[in-house]
Amino acid sequence: MLAASAAGYTAHPQQQPLPGYSPASAAAQRRLELDAMARLTPASAAAHSRVLTREAHVAGTPAQARTRDYVIQRMREWGLEAETRAYDVWMPHPTSIRVWRVSPDTRELSLAEGPLAGDSSSSLPEILPINGYGGSGDATAEVVYVNYGLIEDYATLDSLGVSVRGKVVIARYGRSFRGIKAREAERHGAVALLMYSDPQDDGYVRGDVYPAGPMRPPTGIQRGSVFNGTGDPTTPGGPSVRGARRVAPDSTGAPRIPVVPLSYANAAELLRGLQGAAIPQAWQGGLPFRYHVGPGPVIARVAVANDTATTPYKPIWNTLGVVRGTEFPEELVVIGAHRDAWGPGAVDNVSGTTSVLEAARAIGELVRGGARPKRTIVFATWDAEEWGLIGSTEYVEEESLRLLRGAVAYLNQDGVVSGPNFGGGGSPSLRSTLRSVAQSVSDPSGRGSVYEVWRRSTRVADSTEPPMGDPGGGSDFAGFYNHLGIPHADWGFGGPGGIYHSTYDSRYWMETFGDPAYRYHVVAAQISAAMALRFANADILPYDYVEFARTMRRYLPPIDSALGARRWTTSSSSLRAAIDRMERSAITLSASRDSALQGGLPSSTRRAVNAALLRVERALTRPEGLRTRPWVRGLIYAADENNGYATMAFPSVNEAIRAGDSGLVQHEIDDLARRFDAATAALDDARRAVSR
Ligand SMILES: [Zn+2]
């Protein structure tokens, strides 16, 4: 192994035991993780990043075939079994996108982001300002400003006596997934939707704009999908392989009205001349004039043409790099990053792709040196995430049986480097492992481990851990976690920026603001390598169901107060009791596990314990899914269907509360309680197996 100290990595955490490892295997694992981490360098991370950010690589384009080839070639060089998985996906691309102000005067808006000094990639041919899965058409109408375009904003417009029926609406980005804005605009009768990034949200109100600073410049445009589903819209629930049964594209729920993203320079051309009712103060944005809602007198024309009639189906390509496990080859640790982008994509998602590539390189080198992991590790890059998590979803739907049986964890890397501030999240069962790994990695700031710097920045009390994010929506874990109940974790380093989904998410932005020396890229990849190895080599899978149950208990008081506020007699007591039982079983299991691991455990025992543990979170899903969304089977977290990004805990229960149906609420509480008891039964099976 390489000398860990020589590479500057502190080796202080060996004092603590590694959950799920016997004392002997823990010592070997510590050495192995340090060895893997020491192989990662800023130079190799920078090399991947510079190649992959050379050109915009939108899904369904030749540029995206080139990123596929780059990844496959590297994986093969490093000795992994590398494979491309192709799918045919309904993904119309716009061929022409134009917007005019036609009154008070006629002027076509320039939808180009344009070159900026220093950023050489900004002078390359630009891709269109695409809102993926927006409709096509040509609409001319008075303009109405709808604030963020949320459900409550349309209610406010109603109270102002303003209708958007037959109008072109303009909404600011933010506060919800953009697909929700498109859905609401169409529901309320708008004929086109324009969306822009207000300078108050990520432009000059927040900081200096690119290239002087990291924030959004006047011409910067946020592209992005407006499809609210997951995966290929024409193959819900199944893989988009050749010959797959498909639903008609016009029944997929994709928007029918044209939807176009604008820069704030363009938005000002439409917003400045609006008149009409006085706005609520909260609707005022950062442009230098008073906002009004209209309608009119400004009139806009929006014209979008796409290739629906000619080539709506396009190939997409996932790449898989596989390291086969020695002892439990059918058990899988999957680590993935999406490989497509709306521009050069230095942050989103070349940084995540680089993390997965570098982890694959390090572990590939260990394997060639004879240290093959016990479980199989799959290093994936997914295509078409930006259009609706498509590549990962099609893979999960194609491999669902194998994944349900054997997937131990899904580790997601999306937008993992845009600054120095660490954050992580995912299923509460994996959080203690992520904290443990973060303790073993040095922070690039030189102020201790990633964990120590993270703790200080969150200023939590000594007795509590830094908060982690609950899984909502918006990235490739959805297929694994929300659809199948496979525990997942993610992490990354953030910072201020206004280049999201823009041409300016580029090498120059990264090397000037995001991570000039690629040191955070290295650390993200070190965590990737260590996390993958930690789950791949554990004697007993290190899930923390004590933390899981304690986290679940925190979601009960909001439910109780919602029930109280409605004066319902409905009670959450069955669920509370089931969570209490889960916690007690998890505590007992963890004690039995730790004592059993003091000796050695035969492989057959470990296999039986792990098989039971794999059933715990699967039990917290149901085959028929949520009532609102059958594809979403997980009952612990889901993206709020009225927001798209925000997390809803216990979604079956909370959606029933929102629906105002007290009988359904009690039914859902009891259903969830029974599923917690099934999870607890799996924990008890694991304890019996470990104590045998
Ligand atoms: Zn992304």
Side-chain angles (χ1 to χ4, degrees), residues 338 348-349 385-386 414:
H338 75 84
D348 186 9
N349 189 29
E385 186 270 355
E386 295 292 3
D414 189 1

Side-chain angles (χ1 to χ4, degrees), residues 273-403:
L274 287 183
Q275 295 173 16
I279 54 161
Q281 186 54 36
W283 287 38
Q284 178 67 37
L287 290 168
F289 48 80
R290 187 65 185 174
Y291 291 25
H292 294 84
V293 293
V298 177
I299 294 175
R301 177 180 169 203
V302 182
V304 175
N306 62 30
D307 60 9
T308 306
T310 52
T311 51
Y313 291 92
K314 295 181 178 62
I316 65 165
W317 305 283
N318 295 335
T319 72
L320 306 175
V322 179
V323 169
R324 223 150 282 277
T326 51
E327 191 176 350
F328 307 116
E330 72 293 344
E331 291 183 13
L332 310 173
V333 179
V334 184
I335 177 164
H338 75 84
R339 204 182 70 251
D340 64 316
W342 290 113
V347 176
D348 186 9
N349 189 29
V350 171
S351 66
T353 304
T354 297
S355 174
V356 171
L357 281 171
E358 282 291 273
R361 180 174 68 79
I363 292 173
E365 287 177 13
L366 295 182
V367 169
R368 275 183 293 171
R372 189 174 276 279
K374 290 193 179 90
R375 296 185 177 79
T376 295
I377 305 177
V378 179
F379 298 90
T381 73
W382 313 116
D383 204 347
E385 186 270 355
E386 295 292 3
W387 292 74
L389 323 181
I390 296 177
S392 60
T393 298
E394 300 311 312
Y395 171 77
V396 165
E397 290 173 346
E398 186 173 27
E399 292 290 340
S400 59
L401 293 180
R402 201 151 73 94
L403 292 169

Side-chain angles (χ1 to χ4, degrees), residues 235-253:
T235 61
S240 315
V241 291
R242 203 146 292 173
R245 280 239 321 262
R246 292 176 189 265
V247 303
D250 60 5
S251 66
T252 59

Side-chain angles (χ1 to χ4, degrees), residues 523-541:
V523 175
Q526 288 175 325
I527 296 172
S528 291
M531 284 287 282
L533 290 169
R534 189 72 64 90
F535 284 102
N537 286 329
D539 297 310
I540 295 178
L541 293 166

Side-chain angles (χ1 to χ4, degrees), residues 539-596:
D539 297 310
I540 295 178
L541 293 166
Y543 302 133
D544 188 339
Y545 286 113
V546 179
E547 178 167 359
F548 186 94
R550 289 176 180 164
T551 306
M552 295 303 110
R553 196 177 287 117
R554 294 208 310 262
Y555 303 130
L556 292 172
I559 290 176
D560 290 336
S561 55
L563 300 181
R566 287 164 180 76
R567 301 184 193 287
W568 289 342
T569 52
T570 320
S571 163
S572 68
S573 59
S574 61
L575 183 54
R576 180 177 299 274
I579 292 171
D580 290 347
R581 286 191 286 274
M582 183 189 204
E583 184 188 3
R584 283 196 297 273
S585 283
I587 290 170
T588 313
L589 167 63
S590 119
S592 314
R593 175 194 70 189
D594 293 350
S595 74

Side-chain angles (χ1 to χ4, degrees), residues 410-436:
Y410 175 66
L411 309 174
N412 196 48
Q413 288 287 273
D414 189 1
V416 298
V417 185
S418 62
N421 309 316
F422 184 76
S427 173
S429 57
L430 304 192
R431 291 178 188 176
S432 60
T433 302
L434 180 56
R435 288 193 297 267
S436 164

